[in-house]
Amino acid sequence: PVNGEKTYVSTATLALSFDASKGEAWSLTSRIDGLSRGGLAAQSADLTANGQIAADAGRITGKVETKLAALSLSDPALATAIGPNPAARFAFDWIEGAPLAFSDILASSQGAALSGALTVTGPLEELSLTPDLSLIALDLSRFSALANTPLSGSANLAVQGEAQPLSGAFDLAFSGGTRNLALAQPRLDPLLEGDGEPTLHVSRNLVGTYIRAFDIHTAHAAITAKGALKTNASALTATAEITETARVLPALQGPSRVSVTALQGENGWQLRGNGSGPGATELSLNAAFPGAPDGLRPLSVDATLTAANIAPFSQLLGQPASGGLSLTLTAEGDLTTRSGSANLALKGQSLRIGPAALAPLFGATQTLTAALKLEEGHLRIESADLATPEVTAKLSGETEGSTSR
């Protein structure tokens, strides 16, 4: 009897052997032919097991093997991922009062395999798992339908540590490798070409979750992070580097780097960041997301962008560009009501954007200041002043409704 949908079999055999008067050996063999249950069917399912039962020592050992032939699943994505002939084996060793140890674990199917060992400790209410497992997939494309995105390349992942399922506590270390991983993301895939090395050490207890180390390296990019997530006391840092920005944005040449620090206290989150990129570009950012009552989400931002030469950005701008600039932005508002204000100031040095015929209008220096206001999603230009040695201009107005001048 099996709960749920009806189960059908053509034939089934089961043989269990153990006689304490003749020794400690035990064995089990089972075979099912013509298995069918709901969206699952298999030509055959085999199970074999054998081991020792040492009653005086309170010890049981064994080896178990199982395999399915011509497995068919109604879910095409799951069927492709698992394959038609999965097989598994493991050994176990249990002594009364001691942990249950699983070793020689191997579950495999058409180029994917899980192997290693697992120790189970304690009674159910204090259950603890200690894994030492490795997973390898030689061809990730078979998991594309299951992930709902095209995948290619190969990957492996190992996990070690301890986990307590009922309390939610864990301390786990992951390490692995990828080769020519591709996720059908044109901006990301070029950074994943070749060999990659991801590592992660993460733990959780009653106080919080701790990212001891997070690191992903390929020949073209690197991401590192660490931090802690605790109630009103979180801290996270992360850095991302690209050796050649042209792999992501072909118009830009040279390396790029971004670093971010996020801190959470009783008054909300604070974010600090800085970055650098082509054209001797430098970016700094400070933002605050303080907690507030009534579901409001206030924020404030201070940002500075400098570029010694914006020529590398010409293709992105769709116009010839050159010269340097310094841009500062201060803003505050509320995300819930879509309201706020911002002040912008730009200083240019021999800045040129657009056809060469406009160059005389720019002169050697340029300044732009603007005050903006957002009210329930409607943007108003409170003031905007542009000045070059040859041109001065003022602007104000709204995106909807009133006049502009």
Side-chain angles (χ1 to χ4, degrees), residues 7 34 62 83 97 130 197 206 354 371:
T7 301
T130 305
E197 297 180 5
L206 295 177

Side-chain angles (χ1 to χ4, degrees), residues 69 77 98 302 345:
D302 291 295

Side-chain angles (χ1 to χ4, degrees), residues 332-350:
E332 60 181 16
D334 186 84
L335 298 177
T336 305
T337 60
R338 296 189 302 160
S339 300
S341 60
N343 291 287
L344 179 149
L346 180 148
K347 294 181 179 179
Q349 189 69 35
S350 300

Side-chain angles (χ1 to χ4, degrees), residues 213-380:
F214 175 72
D215 187 281
I216 298 178
H217 272 85
T218 71
H220 314 293
I223 299 175
T224 59
K226 63 180 180 179
L229 295 172
K230 299 184 289 185
T231 303
N232 293 331
S234 299
L236 298 168
T237 61
T239 299
E241 298 178 271
I242 300 176
T243 58
E244 178 49 73
T245 309
R247 297 189 70 87
V248 179
L249 298 169
L252 301 180
Q253 305 289 326
S256 294
R257 184 179 187 275
V258 175
S259 294
V260 176
T261 298
L263 302 173
Q264 182 200 31
E266 293 184 356
N267 295 323
W269 285 89
Q270 289 187 331
L271 182 70
R272 297 195 302 267
N274 60 77
S276 60
T281 302
E282 300 285 343
L283 171 68
S284 65
L285 171 71
N286 288 284
F289 302 85
D294 304 322
L296 298 178
R297 292 182 294 168
L299 70 99
S300 60
V301 177
D302 291 295
T304 300
L305 172 68
T306 62
N309 182 12
I310 67 170
F313 298 89
S314 296
Q315 186 173 334
L316 291 179
L317 294 172
Q319 297 284 342
S322 62
L325 63 79
S326 173
L327 175 67
T328 61
L329 171 70
T330 60
E332 60 181 16
D334 186 84
L335 298 177
T336 305
T337 60
R338 296 189 302 160
S339 300
S341 60
N343 291 287
L344 179 149
L346 180 148
K347 294 181 179 179
Q349 189 69 35
S350 300
L351 190 63
R352 301 288 187 271
I353 301 176
L358 297 178
L361 299 178
F362 283 88
T365 60
Q366 307 81 33
T367 61
L368 170 66
T369 59
L372 311 175
K373 192 169 185 179
L374 184 68
E375 294 180 340
E376 297 182 347
H378 299 291
L379 179 65
R380 176 177 176 82

Side-chain angles (χ1 to χ4, degrees), residues 150-247:
L151 301 174
S152 62
S154 62
N156 65 82
L157 181 68
V159 57
Q160 295 177 316
E162 182 180 5
Q164 299 173 356
L166 296 185
S167 70
F170 58 82
D171 188 345
L172 297 171
F174 300 85
S175 61
T178 62
R179 174 159 293 181
N180 295 326
L181 178 63
L183 310 175
Q185 299 294 325
R187 299 296 189 193
L188 179 61
D189 289 350
L191 302 178
L192 301 176
E193 287 182 6
D195 294 337
E197 297 180 5
T199 60
L200 170 65
H201 181 191
V202 59
S203 63
R204 183 178 185 271
N205 56 29
L206 295 177
V207 177
T209 300
Y210 304 86
I211 303 172
R212 309 292 184 183
F214 175 72
D215 187 281
I216 298 178
H217 272 85
T218 71
H220 314 293
I223 299 175
T224 59
K226 63 180 180 179
L229 295 172
K230 299 184 289 185
T231 303
N232 293 331
S234 299
L236 298 168
T237 61
T239 299
E241 298 178 271
I242 300 176
T243 58
E244 178 49 73
T245 309
R247 297 189 70 87

Side-chain angles (χ1 to χ4, degrees), residues 51-103:
Q52 303 286 321
I53 299 178
D56 293 340
R59 183 179 186 181
I60 303 175
T61 63
K63 295 182 178 180
V64 180
E65 294 189 19
T66 182
K67 61 182 180 179
L68 296 173
L71 174 64
S72 175
L73 299 170
S74 60
D75 184 337
L78 194 60
T80 302
I82 295 178
N85 302 300
R89 74 174 190 232
F90 64 88
F92 67 89
D93 188 343
W94 177 77
I95 301 176
E96 188 175 359
L100 171 61
F102 294 94
S103 60

